[in-house]
Amino acid sequence: MPQPPIMGDIPAVRLSQVKPFSEVGCDYGGPFSLLRYRARGAKSCKAYICLFVCMATKALHLELVSDLSSETFLGAMRRFISRRGRCNHIYSDCGTNFVGASRELINMLKSAAEQEQISWHFNPPSAPHFGGLWEARIKSVKTHIKRVIGDQLLTYEEFYTLLVQIEAVLNSRPLCPQSSDPNDLSVLTPGHFLTLEPLNAPPEDDLSGIKLNHLSRWQLISRLHQSFWSRWSKEYLQTLLQRAKWNESTIPIEINSVVLIKDDNLTPLKWSIGRVLEIHPGHDRVTRVVTLKTAKGILKRPVTKICPLPYCKSQN
């Protein structure tokens, strides 16, 4: 049996204070079947998602590409740089996990990077765990998109619209509280680093109860967007609750902790945030119910319905 070495520390690029997307990881996801155009007898084609993730803020940028060729990727990279600014370093898989282990492609990528004054870093072959940050992100995006779309065939424009909306959903996820002020319920998200304010979506009607064959094409995109939000937000809450160790006991909830409140009826890009005002220990001194302060008032919720945000312990 292989004996893996001890896990390394978080890379310095993950902790650097730089502008968003100065250091990025890149990966592909797919393929997805799309229609060339909306008409009877239209042929389908394949498309892929090209993901760029900021190493420091975990913000995402998603591009839709038609194939895995080097020219197509270079076009996606230029679109990314034009909209997010030039990055200093790009990290990606080398060969097989990225676009096919082509020496010619790697040389083209390095040449393009030198022209843009970008340092390109390739992971060792057959070592996807070296790129865990972008591997986890592309898996989350790809898995939920396939579950949401199902057998639906979208056009390139429809799929790209859905993809950009999904990008906003992922960049709206809460990372940590903005302050330890008991009256402050605001949280920091990747979107804050991109727009200096929380990301919002225009109001939409709830289409979850309408049959798919009764929806127009753009209503269908809204329905898929809402379905992605419902599935992904629940999974994200579960990831906050998971612990790789110390799983035989739980860390007690503390007063002033900022938490996410599970709510299945929230609209896309909306998160229910609360701050713990009071804890209610049982006879065994284990807290299972808490009183929360939210934007809508004071609520009492079981601990199983809240997810503490990382680093949410107040500091005096």
Side-chain angles (χ1 to χ4, degrees), residues 191-219:
H192 280 87
F193 297 98
L194 305 179
T195 64
L196 302 182
E197 61 183 3
L199 296 176
N200 292 302
E204 296 177 336
D205 295 331
D206 184 7
L207 304 174
S208 58
I210 303 177
K211 294 182 178 180
L212 293 179
N213 57 359
H214 292 170
L215 299 175
S216 67
R217 293 306 302 177
W218 291 111
Q219 284 179 326

Side-chain angles (χ1 to χ4, degrees), residues 129-144:
H129 59 283
F130 275 67
L133 179 63
W134 54 86
E135 293 286 352
R137 296 297 177 269
I138 196 65
K139 178 182 178 181
S140 178
V141 174
K142 179 176 61 177
T143 300
H144 288 290

